[in-house]
Amino acid sequence: MKKLDDNSTNIKKTHSIRFEISATFISIMFLTFGLILLINLFFMEKFYVQNKREAIIQAYRSIAQAITDGDITSEEFDQEIGHICERYNIEMIVLDADSKTVKSSTSNVEFLAKLLWENMLTSSSNTTGEFETREILDYGDGYTLQMDMDRATGRKYLDMWGVVGSGNLVLVRSTMESIRDNVIISNTFMAYVGIIAIVVGSIFILYISKKVTDPIKRLYLISDQMKKLNFEAKYENLESYSNEIDVLGQNMNELSETLESTIKELKKANIALKHDIAQKEEIDEMRKEFLSNVSHELKTPIALIQGYAEGLKEGISDDEESRNFYCEVIMDEASKMNIMVKKLLTLNQLEFGNDSANMDRFDIVDMIRNYIKSAELLAKQKDVTIKFDDYEPIFVWGDEFKIEEVLQNFYSNALNHIDGDKIIEIKLIQEDNHVRVSVFNTGKPIPEESLDHIWEKFYKVDKARTREYGGSGVGLSIVKAIMEGMHQAYGVKNYDNGVEFYFELETK
């Protein structure tokens, strides 16, 4: 399995999905924190004031209820009102009808009593006393809720006062400075916490986004390799698929294997198709060449036959000897045509695979000896000496009939091109698991430029001489087709005093 990394492939420059995810979540965190900070700055003080207002009202009502129920001096009331005052930083005082202090949560009793009577006696919102302004927030039957500001210190206070029960005066008071301080402290703390949360969150988001995007990045790199028809890159197999990305990776692995297999099959089919097309083109070329060569080879004998036949018909010569000569020429040319057609048919069957080899085990020495004996008359007619040593039996594998035809072509070719000492020598050379059969004849060597062409159909080194002995130029092509059909070696060698043709056969 091929492991992918950033440098393993040339990929297009793209925006990293990890960067996009991280940037998106970090931006959301910044926006969320900024929004919360703005809400705190603009609305937290109002929220505190509202809370303080409700606390003062609750304290005022608790005092009023205790006065009404006669429990203002009880221990339970002291605990309840003490808890409220401590929690919300509230000061309170209760006076009876004679201005005596009934209950107070502060040591500054005289100041609160004075403030309470001043509020009771003053009906206007603007005063010339200790307080410069009074802003009425709410009032009702027996109570008033107002915002006061100390002219000397500039501090603001939230006051609620009124008459409860049978003439008891009540004042509940809380400074607004504590509210502002709490808001500032809260916002400052939130800013610090927010910055730390953003830093930690950013690190966490980068880590999580890397965990999430690394498999996607691997899939991206794999797909880029698949685009280049490289199917070695695979998504790392996991023991268990934990999410959809892992399943997608496994599917891509299977898709890669399927594509690779399909492309291999297509390539095989393409190669086979190309081979078939090439074979068809080769067959077409062979057919064209065959027709051209056949028409060329038959043209001369047909012309001779037609000419001599017309001469006989027109009675060019009344001499019986001349007429017999004409008839012999016609018969000789017809015989040559018949032999050539038979060889062409044999070659055609061999080349197109219609005549498969019948492999048998036979004695090659005995076959050669019998053929030499049957062709002895041809050798005597040309005064040729045949040399063949006395060999022990050598058994080979092959089609005996076709091998004899190969030997016949080599032998007749040697007879037709014999010269000099007029010797034909047939040798057998055993090597390992095969034997080489060679047929040597004295005479002129084959020109070097013709050695590669003598196995081609209708190729003739010496056309005049070939025509003289009635050769068709097909014999060596038949040898080539037979030996290649049995997948055995064959060839030709030039010597200073002659030419040697050979073929090989397996002995095991």
Side-chain angles (χ1 to χ4, degrees):
M1 183 180 296
K2 184 178 180 182
K3 187 176 181 181
L4 292 174
D5 53 44
D6 292 342
N7 298 322
S8 64
T9 179
N10 293 325
I11 57 177
K12 295 179 180 178
K13 294 294 182 182
T14 57
H15 294 293
S16 170
I17 189 172
R18 178 186 177 189
F19 171 78
E20 292 180 358
I21 292 175
S22 301
T24 300
F25 278 98
I26 292 173
S27 298
I28 291 174
M29 282 198 304
F30 269 108
L31 290 173
T32 303
F33 172 71
L35 181 61
I36 292 173
L37 192 60
L38 287 175
I39 291 173
N40 279 351
L41 289 174
F42 289 101
F43 299 103
M44 195 171 187
E45 185 174 349
K46 294 181 179 180
F47 178 75
Y48 265 40
V49 170
Q50 181 64 30
N51 257 6
K52 186 72 74 172
R53 178 176 175 175
E54 292 177 357
I56 289 174
I57 292 173
Q58 180 184 355
Y60 184 85
R61 289 177 177 172
S62 297
I63 294 170
Q65 185 65 39
I67 292 172
T68 303
D69 296 339
D71 296 331
I72 193 169
T73 58
S74 66
E75 185 178 349
E76 290 81 3
F77 176 76
D78 288 343
Q79 292 179 353
E80 180 183 355
I81 199 66
H83 175 70
I84 294 174
C85 291
E86 289 177 3
R87 181 178 179 184
Y88 297 104
N89 193 20
I90 294 174
E91 295 177 318
M92 54 82 65
I93 187 171
V94 179
L95 303 177
D96 60 12
D98 297 326
S99 298
K100 293 181 180 180
T101 302
V102 177
K103 185 70 66 176
S104 175
S105 64
T106 178
S107 58
N108 195 7
V109 176
E110 294 181 359
F111 174 76
L112 289 181
K114 178 182 176 184
L115 180 62
L116 177 56
W117 276 109
E118 186 177 282
N119 286 328
M120 292 292 296
L121 297 175
T122 304
S123 60
S124 175
S125 59
N126 294 322
T127 68
T128 57
E130 186 180 355
F131 293 92
E132 187 178 44
T133 62
R134 287 186 183 142
E135 179 185 353
I136 303 300
L137 301 178
D138 189 19
Y139 62 91
D141 186 15
Y143 74 90
T144 299
L145 181 64
Q146 64 187 25
M147 184 78 71
D148 291 346
M149 184 176 71
D150 191 324
R151 184 174 55 184
T153 61
R155 291 183 178 181
K156 287 187 177 182
Y157 295 88
L158 188 62
D159 296 341
M160 188 171 183
W161 53 274
V163 180
V164 178
S166 57
N168 292 95
L169 304 178
V170 178
L171 173 64
V172 180
R173 190 178 203 228
S174 177
T175 178
M176 295 296 294
E177 292 300 323
S178 62
I179 295 176
R180 291 194 180 92
D181 292 340
N182 288 337
V183 170
I184 293 171
I185 293 171
S186 176
N187 286 338
T188 304
F189 179 75
M190 184 172 292
Y192 289 141
V193 171
I195 292 171
I196 295 172
I198 288 174
V199 173
V200 175
S202 298
I203 296 172
F204 185 72
I205 286 171
L206 289 172
Y207 173 76
I208 293 298
S209 63
K210 185 177 185 302
K211 292 279 288 183
V212 172
T213 58
D214 276 353
I216 299 175
K217 187 175 182 180
R218 290 200 300 272
L219 292 176
Y220 166 56
L221 296 174
I222 291 171
S223 66
D224 189 73
Q225 290 294 315
M226 289 174 64
K227 179 184 69 177
K228 299 174 183 176
L229 300 183
N230 176 15
F231 301 105
E232 294 182 5
K234 302 291 183 183
Y235 186 81
E236 294 180 1
N237 292 326
L238 302 176
E239 294 181 359
S240 60
Y241 304 124
S242 58
N243 53 46
E244 291 82 354
I245 295 178
D246 294 331
V247 176
L248 176 60
Q250 179 63 18
N251 290 342
M252 286 193 68
N253 287 346
E254 295 176 2
L255 175 62
S256 176
E257 293 173 359
T258 303
L259 285 175
E260 184 177 13
S261 175
T262 303
I263 290 175
K264 284 181 179 178
E265 293 298 325
L266 286 175
K267 286 185 176 181
K268 289 180 181 178
N270 188 41
I271 292 173
L273 180 60
K274 287 181 178 179
H275 180 267
D276 291 343
I277 292 173
Q279 190 176 26
K280 182 178 181 300
E281 291 175 350
E282 183 181 358
I283 291 172
D284 288 341
E285 289 298 321
M286 289 171 60
R287 178 176 57 81
K288 292 176 183 178
E289 182 184 0
F290 177 80
L291 292 175
S292 175
N293 290 329
V294 168
S295 62
H296 177 75
E297 293 295 326
L298 294 180
K299 182 169 60 177
T300 300
I302 289 174
L304 288 172
I305 291 172
Q306 184 178 6
Y308 280 94
E310 289 176 354
L312 287 174
K313 182 179 179 182
E314 294 174 1
I316 292 176
S317 177
D318 294 334
D319 183 13
E320 184 176 352
E321 185 178 351
S322 297
R323 287 197 302 271
N324 288 336
F325 173 74
Y326 279 31
C327 289
E328 287 177 1
V329 170
I330 292 172
M331 291 172 63
D332 185 55
E333 294 298 329
S335 176
K336 291 178 181 178
M337 289 174 60
N338 184 43
I339 292 171
M340 185 177 67
V341 169
K342 287 181 179 179
K343 287 187 175 182
L344 288 173
L345 291 173
T346 300
L347 181 60
N348 184 67
Q349 289 180 336
L350 291 170
E351 287 184 337
F352 287 93
N354 297 327
D355 189 9
S356 57
N358 184 20
M359 303 298 287
D360 288 319
R361 193 167 182 266
F362 64 93
D363 184 1
I364 187 67
V365 176
D366 185 58
M367 189 203 76
I368 294 173
R369 189 177 291 116
N370 289 336
Y371 180 79
I372 292 173
K373 187 175 181 180
S374 65
E376 186 177 359
L377 181 61
L378 295 173
K380 286 182 178 180
Q381 287 177 350
K382 293 191 174 186
D383 195 21
V384 174
T385 301
I386 306 297
K387 291 184 178 181
F388 182 64
D389 294 339
D390 189 15
Y391 293 96
E392 294 292 330
I394 300 175
F395 288 90
V396 297
W397 286 97
D399 188 319
E400 186 174 0
F401 176 77
K402 288 185 173 61
I403 295 303
E404 186 174 0
E405 189 169 3
V406 171
L407 180 64
Q408 177 188 347
N409 277 286
F410 283 172
Y411 188 87
S412 61
N413 193 67
L415 280 176
N416 293 325
H417 293 86
I418 197 79
D419 205 349
D421 295 336
K422 292 189 175 182
I423 296 174
I424 294 177
E425 185 177 9
I426 301 176
K427 289 184 179 179
L428 296 176
I429 302 173
Q430 281 187 280
E431 294 181 3
D432 296 332
N433 61 343
H434 69 274
V435 61
R436 172 174 287 194
V437 181
S438 63
V439 180
F440 171 82
N441 67 274
T442 58
K444 294 180 180 180
I446 299 173
E448 291 295 327
E449 65 272 12
S450 297
L451 284 175
D452 294 333
H453 300 285
I454 60 175
W455 309 101
E456 299 174 3
K457 291 188 293 291
F458 303 110
Y459 184 83
K460 300 171 184 176
V461 177
D462 187 346
K463 295 184 179 180
R465 185 167 185 174
T466 303
R467 177 66 190 165
E468 181 182 342
Y469 67 78
S472 61
V474 180
L476 293 180
S477 298
I478 293 176
V479 171
K480 175 185 176 182
I482 290 174
M483 297 313 298
E484 288 183 353
M486 290 189 294
H487 305 287
Q488 299 299 324
Y490 64 96
V492 60
K493 289 182 179 180
N494 270 333
Y495 292 93
D496 293 337
N497 62 335
V499 179
E500 179 188 72
F501 284 89
Y502 67 88
F503 64 90
E504 295 180 356
L505 293 172
E506 293 179 354
T507 57
K508 293 182 181 179

